[in-house]
Amino acid sequence: MAGTVTVSVLSERQDGKIGDDWKYDLEVKVFNEGLKGKGQINVPKHNLADGVTVEPHGNPDPLVLDAGEPGSELKIWMKLVATEVDLFQNDQGESDLNFTMPCPNPGDAPIVFEKEISCGVTEKPVVADSTAIFTLEVKLVASAD
């Protein structure tokens, strides 16, 4: 019997006036008495207007990660690196998020968590109104075979 965690990006948003060309990487690790699964969702450069929540660009495939033994408490680590793409120098921000979630026993219903992860991105050189907040809404589904 094995547990899995499926990670999907539900939406993306940026609030700020530093630009509308964005790309991002979301790295996820699942721990259950040690590292069991890891993966990354990479979304290439695309247009994302200020103040609008949209589906993730290109509808990236979800990650299906090993979670080890079912019926245990999982530790999840996510890291977001968001980049506002410029002609000469890109502007980048990053943040990480740690939390726990249960992995169900075989035969039990999957457990669904929705989490938000965001980071600040500052335009260089710094001028007035030079910061944006980039936010992803992420769904994690823990299940057991």
Side-chain angles (χ1 to χ4, degrees):
M1 299 277 167
T4 61
V5 174
T6 302
V7 182
S8 306
V9 178
L10 299 177
S11 68
E12 59 185 42
R13 177 185 179 96
Q14 71 93 7
D15 293 288
K17 299 182 183 348
I18 68 171
D20 58 6
D21 291 325
W22 289 87
K23 66 180 183 176
Y24 60 89
D25 303 311
L26 178 67
E27 182 180 2
V28 183
K29 293 182 180 179
V30 178
F31 298 89
N32 181 352
E33 295 186 21
L35 178 64
K36 296 301 179 192
K38 65 179 179 176
Q40 194 162 330
I41 296 173
N42 303 302
V43 176
K45 178 183 164 187
H46 61 286
N47 189 266
L48 182 59
D50 172 34
V52 179
T53 301
V54 297
E55 291 182 2
H57 174 74
N59 292 317
D61 292 334
L63 295 174
V64 180
L65 305 174
D66 183 18
E69 192 66 31
S72 55
E73 191 80 359
L74 305 175
K75 291 181 174 63
I76 309 292
W77 174 83
M78 295 193 301
K79 178 181 178 182
L80 171 63
V81 177
T83 304
E84 191 274 318
V85 181
D86 282 331
L87 184 58
F88 296 110
Q89 179 180 344
N90 294 340
D91 304 307
Q92 193 172 79
E94 64 180 62
S95 69
D96 60 354
L97 180 65
N98 293 286
F99 59 93
T100 60
M101 70 182 293
C103 184
N105 288 304
D108 289 349
I111 296 172
V112 179
F113 276 29
E114 290 188 10
K115 292 288 185 178
E116 187 176 276
I117 184 168
S118 60
C119 64
V121 179
T122 301
E123 182 87 53
K124 307 269 189 307
V126 177
V127 294
D129 294 328
S130 63
T131 301
I133 303 298
F134 188 91
T135 305
L136 295 180
E137 185 75 26
V138 179
K139 180 169 83 170
L140 301 99
V141 180
S143 59
D145 296 335

